[in-house]
């Protein structure tokens, strides 16, 4: 009986996490330089300060260098994902003045649900 209750609780928890992740999902697709989205697409300078609404977003100061790993596509093409130093997150693409392209080739890849689940856990 205890084993059944624990299993039922885990199923309920997973269902809640999956539903929350889908609700917080920005887009179903992303554009990357490679299939793992580990290679840089471009880099640029921030045109103004930005502080995101939650921990999924990258905060930065004007003129900081931002490295872009992927661009969301589909329903939210206005956000890109990148890093400043060791910080990683989403930011509005209009806040970046691109000054170097690493590649012009972009692959459109389906975004994984597990990426969204990670955000749900860390943004609480």
């Amino acid at each position: 009986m205890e084993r059944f209750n624990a299993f039922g609780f885990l199923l309920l928890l997973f269902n809640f996490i999956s539903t929350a992740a889908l609700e917080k999902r920005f887009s179903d697709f992303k554009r990357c330089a490679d299939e793992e989205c580990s290679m840089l697409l471009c880099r640029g300078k921030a045109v103004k300060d930005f502080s995101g609404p939650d921990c999924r977003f990258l905060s930065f100061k004007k003129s900081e260098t931002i490295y872009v790993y992927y661009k969301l596509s589909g329903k939210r093409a206005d956000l890109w994902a990148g890093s400043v130093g060791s910080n990683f997150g989403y930011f509005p693409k209009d806040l970046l003045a691109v000054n170097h392209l690493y590649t012009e080739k972009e692959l459109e890849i389906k975004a994984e649900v597990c990426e969204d689940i990670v955000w749900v856990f860390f943004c609480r």
Side-chain angles (χ1 to χ4, degrees):
M1 183 70 169
E2 285 182 32
R3 182 176 269 165
F4 178 75
N5 287 339
F7 181 71
F9 174 75
L10 288 175
L11 282 176
L12 183 64
L13 179 63
F14 181 74
N15 183 47
F16 169 75
I17 291 170
S18 297
T19 302
L22 290 173
E23 289 173 2
K24 291 182 179 263
R25 173 178 271 185
F26 290 128
S27 187
D28 293 330
F29 297 96
K30 55 188 178 179
R31 300 189 65 77
C32 306
D34 63 306
E35 291 187 19
E36 293 80 31
C37 295
S38 61
M39 295 174 55
L40 292 170
L41 287 172
C42 62
R43 74 165 185 254
K45 296 284 184 183
V47 297
K48 68 179 192 175
D49 293 357
F50 177 71
S51 181
D54 61 44
C55 71
R56 296 174 293 173
F57 289 84
L58 180 66
S59 294
F60 47 80
K61 301 286 185 198
K62 182 179 179 178
S63 79
E64 280 190 297
T65 299
I66 301 172
Y67 295 91
V68 178
Y69 287 90
Y70 61 89
K71 304 169 181 179
L72 294 183
S73 63
K75 64 182 177 180
R76 284 299 300 264
D78 61 325
L79 294 177
W80 290 359
S83 65
V84 173
S86 62
N87 298 320
F88 183 86
Y90 296 109
F91 63 93
K93 71 177 186 177
D94 296 339
L95 299 183
L96 183 69
V98 175
N99 57 24
H100 183 77
L101 291 176
Y102 291 101
T103 182
E104 291 187 22
K105 179 187 106 179
E106 294 181 5
L107 305 172
E108 187 163 76
I109 297 170
K110 187 159 178 55
E112 299 292 328
V113 174
C114 64
E115 294 174 62
D116 297 323
I117 292 172
V118 170
W119 287 119
V120 169
F121 275 119
F122 289 108
C123 285
R124 296 269 171 196

